[in-house]
């Protein structure tokens, strides 16, 4: 690490403590001109007014009263006052001043404040591509050679069959590296693919014209579809001939902090599991419906191939309904031992529901409809890789008019539950910070920033169901949280804002010798459990974060975390274009 990077690390470590001083925290990327616009003022207990001036501070353009002080429960009860400047509707870059505060942050107001960052979080997937070089014309200074061709991946002992014995090889190239490591996991790809496919389904007209400068740009397909295809084609290679799906393509152990082309450990596909197979079935069924749009030109036969793969996977899962991934038990029986990410899940009813929902939508066949009719829907959990019932719920809601009358009571129940959760998120939000995120200690888990993004995604979908703007505003509050209006003062997406992560737990960003990390990546965020064993500046739930590449429990990146950020930020852009505010 260079001396410059060491100095930057020290500066960020020191500024981690500034929430205890008199500071103002804002959305550092920008505010939508007609939407709610709020900043948070810390520790100015007797503050009364705030002022918006021109950038030089010579001309006051707006002033108003600070709101009454509230204590931020999950940030050591820090006193917070909100500066609400929603009534200030002028495009430009300004300065926010509160007497007594030690900083005067810039305020950017724009018609489409999330346009650039929305593209960047989608472009983040290009930088995660395995098996291909990233060329300078697309990757800029982050260009790199190809890593992990994965054209001769070993069958692990756990996955051995007569047709594919241990030690034989298959080709499984492409796909996205899962997170800060170089492995590829079907379960986590599942929720990631769903979220991005759903983003396109909701905002197709927006994404049809959104370009991100990737090699496929201009080929007649939207760039989000091109990116999805890169991972989908890898997923198809992970299905065995019997319909089951390998749990992951991985090294036996994690690589060191090296570039992809320098990571040359043997690669394996690991045993087939029910969770991976059901997630695969759900994604392929969902993709079949979306890719049918291009079946007569750009993507002939792909939709049919996806549907067939989905049906075959479901049939395998019916024959193997409870094959969970237990890495410890597997390592006791098979060699080599595998110590990379497990993504084990012993509660599979939500995976069955999601797969049945997508197959019912895609095929309209009775077996899937009948399965859904027997399922009692209880969806009160924000989605994560091992909690996917909400994915099936929203898919059913989004295709309600295409489904038979027999499913309408189930769909109505789904709608009621979706709205009930959305109302809970709004009614029990973090009152001190006026964000939906931070309503309880349970929000601050490993990947807490994905919790915020998924809450925002949930609220956007309920806004689309109901047309009630309060849900849209709730989603916007979580974008503000992710982009800097939080107790740490970090914009949690690399490459954006005035204070963003410089040292994510992300091998290419560490090993490439470039000071700035790869842009457009959402880090995990505050996590008081600190499973990495690192020392954090403090351990209060909302501030248990450190910009340290060894702090993987707070500062790693992951494809399933970026996906709801793609949905949220681009969804907000879409609704700005629709003049929803």
């Amino acid at each position: 690490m260079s001396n410059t990077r060491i100095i930057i690390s020290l500066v960020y470590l020191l500024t981690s403590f500034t929430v205890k001083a008199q500071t103002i925290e804002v959305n550092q990327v920008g505010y939508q001109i007609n939407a709610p616009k709020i900043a948070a003022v810390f520790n100015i207990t007797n503050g009364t007014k705030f002022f918006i001036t021109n950038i030089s501070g010579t001309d006051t353009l707006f002033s108003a009263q600070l709101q009454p002080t509230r204590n931020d429960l999950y940030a050591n009860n820090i006193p917070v006052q909100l500066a609400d400047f929603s009534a200030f509707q002028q495009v430009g870059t300004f300065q926010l001043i509160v007497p007594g505060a030690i900083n005067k942050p810039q305020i950017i107001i724009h018609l489409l404040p999330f346009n650039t960052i929305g593209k960047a979080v989608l472009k983040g997937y290009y930088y995660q591509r395995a098996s291909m070089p990233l060329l300078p014309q697309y990757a800029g200074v982050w260009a790199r050679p190809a890593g992990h061709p994965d054209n001769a991946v070993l069958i692990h002992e756990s996955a051995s069959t007569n047709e594919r014995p241990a030690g034989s090889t298959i080709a499984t190239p492409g796909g996205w590296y899962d997170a800060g490591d170089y492995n590829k996991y079907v379960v986590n790809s599942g929720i990631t693919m769903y979220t991005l496919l759903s983003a396109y389904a909701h905002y197709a007209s927006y994404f049809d014209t959104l370009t991100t400068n990737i090699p496929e740009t201009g080929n007649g397909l939207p760039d989000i579809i091109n990116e999805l295809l890169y991972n989908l084609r890898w997923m198809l290679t992970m299905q065995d001939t019997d319909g089951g799906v390998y749990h992951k393509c991985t090294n036996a152990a994690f690589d060191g902090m090296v570039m992809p082309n320098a990571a040359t450990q043997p690669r394996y596909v690991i045993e087939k599991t029910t969770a991976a197979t059901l997630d695969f079935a759900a994604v392929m069924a969902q993709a079949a419906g979306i890719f049918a749009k291009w079946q007569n030109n750009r993507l002939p036969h792909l939709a049919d191939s996806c549907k067939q793969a989905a049906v075959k996977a479901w049939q395998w899962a019916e024959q193997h309904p409870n094959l969970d991934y237990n890495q410890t038990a597997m390592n006791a029986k098979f060699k080599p031992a595998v110590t990379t990410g497990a993504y084990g899940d012993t509660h599979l009813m939500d995976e069955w529901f999601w797969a049945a929902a997508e197959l019912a939508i895609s095929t309209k066949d009775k077996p899937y409809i009948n399965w859904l009719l027997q399922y009692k829907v209880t969806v009160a959990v924000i989605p994560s890789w091992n909690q996917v019932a909400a994915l099936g719920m929203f898919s059913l809601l989004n295709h309600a008019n295409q489904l038979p009358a027999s499913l309408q009571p189930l769909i109505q129940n789904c709608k009621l539950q979706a709205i009930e959760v959305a109302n809970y998120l709004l009614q029990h939000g973090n009152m001190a910070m006026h964000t939906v995120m931070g309503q309880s200690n349970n929000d601050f888990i490993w990947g807490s920033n994905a919790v915020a993004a998924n809450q925002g995604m949930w609220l956007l979908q309920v806004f689309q169901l109901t047309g009630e703007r309060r849900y849209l505003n709730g989603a916007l509050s979580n974008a503000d949280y992710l982009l800097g209006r939080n107790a740490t003062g970090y914009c949690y997406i690399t490459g954006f804002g005035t204070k963003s992560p410089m040292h994510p737990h992300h091998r290419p960003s560490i090993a490439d010798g470039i000071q700035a990390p790869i842009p457009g990546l959402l880090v995990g965020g505050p996590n008081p459990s600190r499973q990495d064993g690192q020392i954090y500046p403090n351990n209060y739930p909302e501030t248990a974060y450190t910009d340290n590449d060894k702090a993987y429990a707070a500062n790693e990146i992951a494809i399933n975390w970026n996906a709801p950020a793609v949905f949220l930020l681009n969804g907000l852009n879409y609704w700005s274009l629709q003049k929803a505010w």
Side-chain angles (χ1 to χ4, degrees):
M1 182 183 291
S2 70
N3 289 336
T4 301
R5 294 190 75 173
I6 292 170
I7 291 168
I8 290 171
S9 297
L10 291 172
V11 170
Y12 276 130
L13 183 62
L14 290 170
T15 55
S16 299
F17 291 93
T18 60
V19 294
K20 297 180 180 178
Q22 292 75 31
T23 61
I24 309 167
E25 304 299 353
V26 302
N27 174 336
Q28 298 164 25
V29 171
Y31 293 88
Q32 207 278 346
I33 185 169
N34 298 310
K37 297 182 285 292
I38 295 172
V41 182
F42 289 87
N43 264 337
I44 302 182
T45 53
N46 59 348
T48 57
K49 296 193 73 173
F50 69 94
F51 305 87
I52 293 178
T53 72
N54 59 358
I55 199 63
S56 63
T58 58
D59 188 11
T60 297
L61 306 174
F62 180 85
S63 66
Q65 295 292 122
L66 291 168
Q67 293 185 6
T69 299
R70 290 190 175 98
N71 292 337
D72 192 344
L73 179 62
Y74 298 109
N76 194 28
N77 285 312
I78 296 172
V80 180
Q81 290 176 278
L82 299 180
D84 187 337
F85 51 101
S86 303
F88 181 66
Q89 298 184 351
Q90 184 176 327
V91 170
T93 301
F94 310 97
Q95 190 171 231
L96 179 61
I97 298 174
V98 176
I102 64 173
N103 63 329
K104 299 176 182 179
Q106 285 188 355
I107 296 293
I108 301 167
I109 300 177
H110 199 275
L111 292 169
L112 292 174
F114 307 130
N115 188 52
T116 302
I117 198 170
K119 291 180 180 180
V121 289
L122 178 57
K123 178 73 174 277
Y125 288 93
Y126 170 70
Y127 292 109
Q128 289 295 100
R129 288 188 187 186
S131 312
M132 69 175 291
L134 305 189
L135 302 177
Q137 59 265 45
Y138 310 112
V141 297
W142 298 283
R144 58 170 172 80
H148 303 93
D150 288 342
N151 52 15
V153 173
L154 296 162
I155 302 293
H156 189 259
E157 285 184 3
S158 65
S160 177
T161 63
N162 290 334
E163 188 174 348
R164 293 179 173 180
S168 61
T169 62
I170 63 169
T172 181
W176 302 313
Y177 296 130
D178 178 72
D181 61 290
Y182 293 139
N183 304 304
K184 301 182 291 190
Y185 309 85
V186 169
V187 166
N188 210 36
S189 271
I191 188 171
T192 304
M193 292 290 287
Y194 166 88
T195 305
L196 296 177
L197 286 164
S198 294
Y200 181 78
H202 278 83
Y203 312 121
S205 62
Y206 171 86
F207 282 111
D208 280 344
T209 59
L210 188 76
T211 59
T212 56
N213 186 32
I214 57 177
E216 300 84 359
T217 298
N219 69 352
L221 295 172
D223 278 2
I224 190 173
I225 296 297
N226 283 316
E227 199 58 68
L228 281 158
L229 285 169
Y230 195 78
N231 199 65
L232 179 125
R233 287 173 171 143
W234 164 70
M235 290 184 74
L236 285 168
T237 69
M238 292 290 285
Q239 186 173 38
D240 196 359
T241 55
D242 62 0
V245 178
Y246 300 114
H247 197 73
K248 56 181 174 176
C249 172
T250 182
N251 308 337
F254 286 115
D255 290 299
M257 293 298 176
V258 298
M259 293 298 287
N261 60 300
T264 57
Q265 295 185 53
R267 302 276 272 183
Y268 299 88
V269 288
I270 311 299
E271 66 182 3
K272 292 170 285 190
T273 64
T274 309
T277 303
L278 288 171
D279 286 348
F280 174 96
V283 167
M284 292 301 156
Q286 183 191 22
I290 289 175
F291 293 153
K293 181 176 179 177
W294 298 281
Q295 65 185 355
N296 296 325
N297 45 57
R298 302 299 306 173
L299 300 173
H301 312 302
L302 181 59
D304 289 338
S305 296
C306 289
K307 189 180 296 186
Q308 291 166 11
V311 170
K312 195 172 183 180
W314 176 274
Q315 292 170 344
W316 185 92
E318 285 187 311
Q319 296 168 7
H320 308 85
N322 292 299
L323 290 183
D324 66 299
Y325 186 73
N326 184 324
Q327 195 155 272
T328 301
M330 184 190 74
N331 286 338
K333 293 174 61 178
F334 303 111
K335 302 301 179 186
V338 176
T339 56
T340 55
Y343 289 106
D345 187 358
T346 58
H347 303 284
L348 301 180
M349 193 55 66
D350 51 323
E351 280 80 10
W352 282 104
F353 174 65
W354 177 31
E358 300 294 357
L359 278 158
I361 293 163
S362 181
T363 70
K364 311 297 190 294
D365 289 345
K366 286 185 178 179
Y368 314 113
I369 293 170
N370 289 339
W371 193 99
L372 290 171
L373 290 173
Q374 299 172 32
Y375 183 76
K376 303 300 182 184
V377 181
T378 302
V379 184
V381 179
I382 298 300
S384 61
W385 63 266
N386 61 347
Q387 297 282 353
V388 295
L391 315 188
M393 179 185 74
F394 279 113
S395 283
L396 290 173
L397 289 171
N398 295 331
H399 295 86
N401 60 356
Q402 303 167 26
L403 293 168
S406 61
L407 284 178
Q408 295 308 313
L410 169 65
I411 293 169
Q412 181 60 26
N413 187 24
C414 286
K415 183 176 181 179
L416 293 174
Q417 291 196 47
I419 293 171
E420 182 180 354
V421 171
N423 288 341
Y424 174 84
L425 292 174
L426 295 187
Q427 293 169 6
H428 298 273
N430 185 331
M431 297 304 293
M433 296 293 292
H434 197 70
T435 60
V436 169
M437 176 61 182
Q439 64 182 294
S440 79
N441 188 53
N442 294 331
D443 281 354
F444 299 103
I445 59 173
W446 196 328
S448 64
N449 283 340
V451 172
N454 274 300
Q455 289 173 345
M457 177 178 166
W458 190 299
L459 291 165
L460 283 183
Q461 291 178 99
V462 172
F463 169 65
Q464 193 156 335
L465 284 171
T466 65
E468 294 185 31
R469 192 181 296 171
R470 62 195 180 104
Y471 301 117
L472 179 63
N473 291 341
L476 179 64
S477 80
N478 274 16
D480 285 352
Y481 170 88
L482 292 173
L483 303 181
R485 180 155 61 88
N486 59 62
T488 70
Y490 274 93
C491 172
Y492 288 119
I493 294 175
T494 57
F496 286 85
T498 54
K499 179 185 175 184
S500 63
M502 293 293 291
H503 310 286
H505 182 87
H506 180 238
R507 281 162 176 77
S509 292
I510 296 166
D512 62 9
I514 298 165
Q515 179 177 322
I518 287 170
L521 303 178
L522 179 69
V523 299
N527 175 14
S529 295
R530 296 172 294 138
Q531 293 90 339
D532 47 50
Q534 297 297 304
I535 297 173
Y536 289 26
N538 60 67
N539 302 323
Y540 302 110
E542 197 175 337
T543 54
Y545 172 76
T546 182
D547 183 17
N548 173 357
D549 58 50
K550 295 180 176 61
Y552 53 80
N555 216 32
E556 191 168 12
I557 65 94
I559 56 173
N560 63 310
W561 299 343
N562 249 59
V566 170
F567 192 111
L568 174 62
L569 296 173
N570 288 290
L572 291 169
N573 260 347
Y574 171 85
W575 289 115
S576 291
L577 289 167
Q578 300 302 311
K579 302 187 186 307
W581 285 287

